[in-house]
C-alpha cells in the first residue's frame, strides 16, 4: 500500500487524522504532503484546528484532517 492509500483508509476508519496519529500509527512524517497529494487527486479533505495536551501538560493546537464523503455535508 502507498502512504496515500494508508492515510485514506485511516481517515475512513477513524473519522480523521492528525500529524501525531500519522507518525505513531502509520509511520508517516509528512502528513501535510500526503494531504496535498490526495487533494490534487480529487479527494475533498477538510481541515480544522483542535486543541490537544502536550507531554508537558500544556495546551497546543494541531490540524485535524477529515475526508468528506461524496454526497455528505
Amino acid at each position: 500500500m502507498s502512504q496515500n492509500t494508508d492515510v485514506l483508509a485511516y481517515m475512513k476508519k477513524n473519522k480523521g487524522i492528525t500529524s501525531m496519529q500519522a507518525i505513531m500509527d502509520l509511520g508517516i512524517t509528512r502528513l501535510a504532503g500526503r494531504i496535498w497529494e490526495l487533494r490534487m487527486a480529487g479527494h475533498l479533505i477538510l481541515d480544522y484546528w483542535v486543541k490537544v495536551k502536550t507531554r508537558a501538560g500544556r495546551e497546543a493546537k494541531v490540524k485535524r484532517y477529515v475526508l468528506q464523503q461524496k454526497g455528505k455535508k
Side-chain angles (χ1 to χ4, degrees), residues 3-67:
Q3 288 187 347
N4 289 352
T5 304
D6 291 343
V7 170
L8 279 175
Y10 191 95
M11 285 192 292
K12 287 177 184 177
K13 180 181 178 187
N14 298 289
K15 310 268 193 278
I17 191 168
T18 64
S19 290
M20 186 55 68
Q21 291 170 325
I23 292 167
M24 299 298 290
D25 297 341
L26 302 175
I28 296 172
T29 58
R30 292 261 302 119
L31 179 60
R34 304 300 69 81
I35 296 297
W36 182 84
E37 291 172 351
L38 291 167
R39 285 174 171 161
M40 292 300 103
H43 296 280
L44 178 58
I45 300 173
L46 307 177
D47 61 72
Y48 56 94
W49 293 99
V50 294
K51 293 179 183 179
V52 297
K53 289 270 189 190
T54 67
R55 289 180 284 188
R58 297 187 189 106
E59 194 174 84
K61 288 183 181 177
V62 298
K63 278 281 178 108
R64 180 168 177 80
Y65 299 97
V66 177
L67 179 65

